[in-house]
PDB file of all heavy atoms in Angstrom:
ATOM      1  N   LEU A1547      34.662  31.615  49.754  1.00  0.00           N
ATOM      2  CA  LEU A1547      34.843  30.167  49.755  1.00  0.00           C
ATOM      3  C   LEU A1547      33.585  29.459  49.253  1.00  0.00           C
ATOM      4  O   LEU A1547      33.676  28.417  48.585  1.00  0.00           O
ATOM      5  CB  LEU A1547      35.195  29.693  51.166  1.00  0.00           C
ATOM      6  CG  LEU A1547      35.787  28.288  51.282  1.00  0.00           C
ATOM      7  CD1 LEU A1547      37.026  28.159  50.408  1.00  0.00           C
ATOM      8  CD2 LEU A1547      36.128  27.978  52.726  1.00  0.00           C
ATOM      9  N   LEU A1548      32.432  29.996  49.554  1.00  0.00           N
ATOM     10  CA  LEU A1548      31.198  29.407  49.042  1.00  0.00           C
ATOM     11  C   LEU A1548      31.132  29.496  47.522  1.00  0.00           C
ATOM     12  O   LEU A1548      30.645  28.570  46.852  1.00  0.00           O
ATOM     13  CB  LEU A1548      29.992  30.106  49.668  1.00  0.00           C
ATOM     14  CG  LEU A1548      29.675  29.758  51.123  1.00  0.00           C
ATOM     15  CD1 LEU A1548      28.572  30.653  51.655  1.00  0.00           C
ATOM     16  CD2 LEU A1548      29.274  28.295  51.255  1.00  0.00           C
ATOM     17  N   ARG A1549      31.631  30.587  46.975  1.00  0.00           N
ATOM     18  CA  ARG A1549      31.652  30.716  45.522  1.00  0.00           C
ATOM     19  C   ARG A1549      32.614  29.708  44.906  1.00  0.00           C
ATOM     20  O   ARG A1549      32.321  29.110  43.863  1.00  0.00           O
ATOM     21  CB  ARG A1549      32.054  32.141  45.137  1.00  0.00           C
ATOM     22  CG  ARG A1549      31.058  33.204  45.614  1.00  0.00           C
ATOM     23  CD  ARG A1549      31.561  34.605  45.291  1.00  0.00           C
ATOM     24  NE  ARG A1549      30.733  35.619  45.897  1.00  0.00           N
ATOM     25  CZ  ARG A1549      29.630  36.124  45.347  1.00  0.00           C
ATOM     26  NH1 ARG A1549      29.243  35.698  44.154  1.00  0.00           N
ATOM     27  NH2 ARG A1549      28.925  37.048  45.965  1.00  0.00           N
ATOM     28  N   VAL A1550      33.769  29.517  45.549  1.00  0.00           N
ATOM     29  CA  VAL A1550      34.720  28.516  45.057  1.00  0.00           C
ATOM     30  C   VAL A1550      34.124  27.123  45.150  1.00  0.00           C
ATOM     31  O   VAL A1550      34.296  26.296  44.243  1.00  0.00           O
ATOM     32  CB  VAL A1550      36.033  28.602  45.858  1.00  0.00           C
ATOM     33  CG1 VAL A1550      36.972  27.460  45.508  1.00  0.00           C
ATOM     34  CG2 VAL A1550      36.721  29.941  45.605  1.00  0.00           C
ATOM     35  N   GLN A1551      33.427  26.844  46.236  1.00  0.00           N
ATOM     36  CA  GLN A1551      32.806  25.531  46.404  1.00  0.00           C
ATOM     37  C   GLN A1551      31.763  25.268  45.325  1.00  0.00           C
ATOM     38  O   GLN A1551      31.694  24.168  44.761  1.00  0.00           O
ATOM     39  CB  GLN A1551      32.160  25.438  47.787  1.00  0.00           C
ATOM     40  CG  GLN A1551      31.640  24.061  48.129  1.00  0.00           C
ATOM     41  CD  GLN A1551      30.933  24.049  49.472  1.00  0.00           C
ATOM     42  OE1 GLN A1551      29.963  24.772  49.681  1.00  0.00           O
ATOM     43  NE2 GLN A1551      31.419  23.213  50.387  1.00  0.00           N
ATOM     44  N   ALA A1552      30.940  26.270  45.025  1.00  0.00           N
ATOM     45  CA  ALA A1552      29.935  26.104  43.974  1.00  0.00           C
ATOM     46  C   ALA A1552      30.594  25.924  42.610  1.00  0.00           C
ATOM     47  O   ALA A1552      30.151  25.100  41.793  1.00  0.00           O
ATOM     48  CB  ALA A1552      28.999  27.313  43.960  1.00  0.00           C
ATOM     49  N   LEU A1553      31.670  26.670  42.355  1.00  0.00           N
ATOM     50  CA  LEU A1553      32.370  26.550  41.073  1.00  0.00           C
ATOM     51  C   LEU A1553      33.048  25.187  40.960  1.00  0.00           C
ATOM     52  O   LEU A1553      33.081  24.587  39.877  1.00  0.00           O
ATOM     53  CB  LEU A1553      33.397  27.673  40.941  1.00  0.00           C
ATOM     54  CG  LEU A1553      34.137  27.762  39.602  1.00  0.00           C
ATOM     55  CD1 LEU A1553      33.142  27.986  38.468  1.00  0.00           C
ATOM     56  CD2 LEU A1553      35.168  28.878  39.644  1.00  0.00           C
ATOM     57  N   THR A1554      33.580  24.685  42.072  1.00  0.00           N
ATOM     58  CA  THR A1554      34.204  23.365  42.062  1.00  0.00           C
ATOM     59  C   THR A1554      33.204  22.282  41.719  1.00  0.00           C
ATOM     60  O   THR A1554      33.474  21.379  40.912  1.00  0.00           O
ATOM     61  CB  THR A1554      34.841  23.078  43.429  1.00  0.00           C
ATOM     62  OG1 THR A1554      35.815  24.079  43.708  1.00  0.00           O
ATOM     63  CG2 THR A1554      35.503  21.718  43.454  1.00  0.00           C
ATOM     64  N   ALA A1555      32.036  22.357  42.326  1.00  0.00           N
ATOM     65  CA  ALA A1555      31.004  21.365  42.033  1.00  0.00           C
ATOM     66  C   ALA A1555      30.505  21.480  40.599  1.00  0.00           C
ATOM     67  O   ALA A1555      30.211  20.480  39.931  1.00  0.00           O
ATOM     68  CB  ALA A1555      29.848  21.522  43.009  1.00  0.00           C
ATOM     69  N   GLU A1556      30.424  22.717  40.113  1.00  0.00           N
ATOM     70  CA  GLU A1556      29.921  22.917  38.752  1.00  0.00           C
ATOM     71  C   GLU A1556      30.896  22.400  37.706  1.00  0.00           C
ATOM     72  O   GLU A1556      30.493  21.770  36.719  1.00  0.00           O
ATOM     73  CB  GLU A1556      29.661  24.411  38.534  1.00  0.00           C
ATOM     74  CG  GLU A1556      29.116  24.732  37.152  1.00  0.00           C
ATOM     75  CD  GLU A1556      28.887  26.213  36.954  1.00  0.00           C
ATOM     76  OE1 GLU A1556      29.059  26.977  37.929  1.00  0.00           O
ATOM     77  OE2 GLU A1556      28.545  26.618  35.831  1.00  0.00           O
ATOM     78  N   ARG A1557      32.194  22.600  37.906  1.00  0.00           N
ATOM     79  CA  ARG A1557      33.180  22.205  36.896  1.00  0.00           C
ATOM     80  C   ARG A1557      33.592  20.746  37.018  1.00  0.00           C
ATOM     81  O   ARG A1557      33.927  20.103  36.023  1.00  0.00           O
ATOM     82  CB  ARG A1557      34.431  23.090  37.017  1.00  0.00           C
ATOM     83  CG  ARG A1557      34.210  24.526  36.615  1.00  0.00           C
ATOM     84  CD  ARG A1557      35.512  25.307  36.700  1.00  0.00           C
ATOM     85  NE  ARG A1557      36.547  24.744  35.843  1.00  0.00           N
ATOM     86  CZ  ARG A1557      36.697  25.039  34.550  1.00  0.00           C
ATOM     87  NH1 ARG A1557      35.873  25.904  33.974  1.00  0.00           N
ATOM     88  NH2 ARG A1557      37.665  24.502  33.837  1.00  0.00           N
ATOM     89  N   ASN A1558      33.577  20.219  38.246  1.00  0.00           N
ATOM     90  CA  ASN A1558      34.150  18.892  38.447  1.00  0.00           C
ATOM     91  C   ASN A1558      33.173  17.878  39.034  1.00  0.00           C
ATOM     92  O   ASN A1558      33.551  16.750  39.301  1.00  0.00           O
ATOM     93  CB  ASN A1558      35.365  18.983  39.384  1.00  0.00           C
ATOM     94  CG  ASN A1558      36.389  19.985  38.896  1.00  0.00           C
ATOM     95  OD1 ASN A1558      36.846  19.920  37.764  1.00  0.00           O
ATOM     96  ND2 ASN A1558      36.754  20.934  39.755  1.00  0.00           N
ATOM     97  N   GLY A1559      31.952  18.285  39.256  1.00  0.00           N
ATOM     98  CA  GLY A1559      31.025  17.371  39.910  1.00  0.00           C
ATOM     99  C   GLY A1559      30.622  16.179  39.058  1.00  0.00           C
ATOM    100  O   GLY A1559      30.425  15.081  39.569  1.00  0.00           O
ATOM    101  N   LEU A1560      30.487  16.352  37.753  1.00  0.00           N
ATOM    102  CA  LEU A1560      30.023  15.272  36.868  1.00  0.00           C
ATOM    103  C   LEU A1560      31.095  14.790  35.912  1.00  0.00           C
ATOM    104  O   LEU A1560      30.849  13.851  35.159  1.00  0.00           O
ATOM    105  CB  LEU A1560      28.804  15.755  36.057  1.00  0.00           C
ATOM    106  CG  LEU A1560      27.582  16.183  36.875  1.00  0.00           C
ATOM    107  CD1 LEU A1560      26.500  16.710  35.940  1.00  0.00           C
ATOM    108  CD2 LEU A1560      27.062  15.013  37.681  1.00  0.00           C
ATOM    109  N   GLY A1561      32.252  15.376  35.912  1.00  0.00           N
ATOM    110  CA  GLY A1561      33.264  15.013  34.929  1.00  0.00           C
ATOM    111  C   GLY A1561      33.037  15.731  33.602  1.00  0.00           C
ATOM    112  O   GLY A1561      31.963  16.269  33.337  1.00  0.00           O
ATOM    113  N   ILE A1562      34.084  15.741  32.767  1.00  0.00           N
ATOM    114  CA  ILE A1562      34.005  16.439  31.481  1.00  0.00           C
ATOM    115  C   ILE A1562      33.933  15.402  30.356  1.00  0.00           C
ATOM    116  O   ILE A1562      34.795  14.513  30.261  1.00  0.00           O
ATOM    117  CB  ILE A1562      35.237  17.339  31.283  1.00  0.00           C
ATOM    118  CG1 ILE A1562      35.293  18.392  32.399  1.00  0.00           C
ATOM    119  CG2 ILE A1562      35.209  18.015  29.916  1.00  0.00           C
ATOM    120  CD1 ILE A1562      36.512  19.285  32.333  1.00  0.00           C
ATOM    121  N   PRO A1563      32.895  15.459  29.489  1.00  0.00           N
ATOM    122  CA  PRO A1563      32.824  14.517  28.352  1.00  0.00           C
ATOM    123  C   PRO A1563      33.985  14.752  27.374  1.00  0.00           C
ATOM    124  O   PRO A1563      34.241  15.893  26.962  1.00  0.00           O
ATOM    125  CB  PRO A1563      31.477  14.834  27.708  1.00  0.00           C
ATOM    126  CG  PRO A1563      30.701  15.583  28.747  1.00  0.00           C
ATOM    127  CD  PRO A1563      31.714  16.325  29.556  1.00  0.00           C
ATOM    128  N   THR A1616      35.617  12.241  31.852  1.00  0.00           N
ATOM    129  CA  THR A1616      36.906  12.355  32.531  1.00  0.00           C
ATOM    130  C   THR A1616      36.748  13.178  33.805  1.00  0.00           C
ATOM    131  O   THR A1616      36.315  14.339  33.754  1.00  0.00           O
ATOM    132  CB  THR A1616      37.944  13.017  31.620  1.00  0.00           C
ATOM    133  OG1 THR A1616      38.024  12.276  30.393  1.00  0.00           O
ATOM    134  CG2 THR A1616      39.304  13.052  32.301  1.00  0.00           C
ATOM    135  N   GLY A1617      37.048  12.560  34.942  1.00  0.00           N
ATOM    136  CA  GLY A1617      36.956  13.252  36.219  1.00  0.00           C
ATOM    137  C   GLY A1617      38.261  13.917  36.592  1.00  0.00           C
ATOM    138  O   GLY A1617      39.232  13.925  35.839  1.00  0.00           O
ATOM    139  N   VAL A1618      38.285  14.468  37.814  1.00  0.00           N
ATOM    140  CA  VAL A1618      39.466  15.161  38.298  1.00  0.00           C
ATOM    141  C   VAL A1618      40.450  14.138  38.842  1.00  0.00           C
ATOM    142  O   VAL A1618      40.088  13.222  39.577  1.00  0.00           O
ATOM    143  CB  VAL A1618      39.094  16.162  39.400  1.00  0.00           C
ATOM    144  CG1 VAL A1618      40.328  16.854  39.948  1.00  0.00           C
ATOM    145  CG2 VAL A1618      38.114  17.190  38.861  1.00  0.00           C
ATOM    146  N   LEU A1622      40.060  16.898  45.547  1.00  0.00           N
ATOM    147  CA  LEU A1622      39.528  18.257  45.550  1.00  0.00           C
ATOM    148  C   LEU A1622      39.688  18.866  46.945  1.00  0.00           C
ATOM    149  O   LEU A1622      39.687  18.150  47.951  1.00  0.00           O
ATOM    150  CB  LEU A1622      38.049  18.243  45.160  1.00  0.00           C
ATOM    151  CG  LEU A1622      37.737  17.840  43.716  1.00  0.00           C
ATOM    152  CD1 LEU A1622      36.228  17.753  43.524  1.00  0.00           C
ATOM    153  CD2 LEU A1622      38.344  18.821  42.743  1.00  0.00           C
ATOM    154  N   THR A1625      36.260  22.175  51.402  1.00  0.00           N
ATOM    155  CA  THR A1625      35.827  23.528  51.769  1.00  0.00           C
ATOM    156  C   THR A1625      34.824  23.528  52.921  1.00  0.00           C
ATOM    157  O   THR A1625      34.524  24.593  53.455  1.00  0.00           O
ATOM    158  CB  THR A1625      35.195  24.224  50.550  1.00  0.00           C
ATOM    159  OG1 THR A1625      34.124  23.413  50.040  1.00  0.00           O
ATOM    160  CG2 THR A1625      36.236  24.418  49.448  1.00  0.00           C
TER     161      THR A1625
END
Side-chain angles (χ1 to χ4, degrees):
L1547 196 56
L1548 285 173
R1549 297 176 188 273
V1550 172
Q1551 187 184 59
L1553 185 60
T1554 301
E1556 181 181 355
R1557 291 183 59 86
N1558 306 306
L1560 300 177
I1562 299 177
T1616 305
V1618 178
L1622 293 175
T1625 56

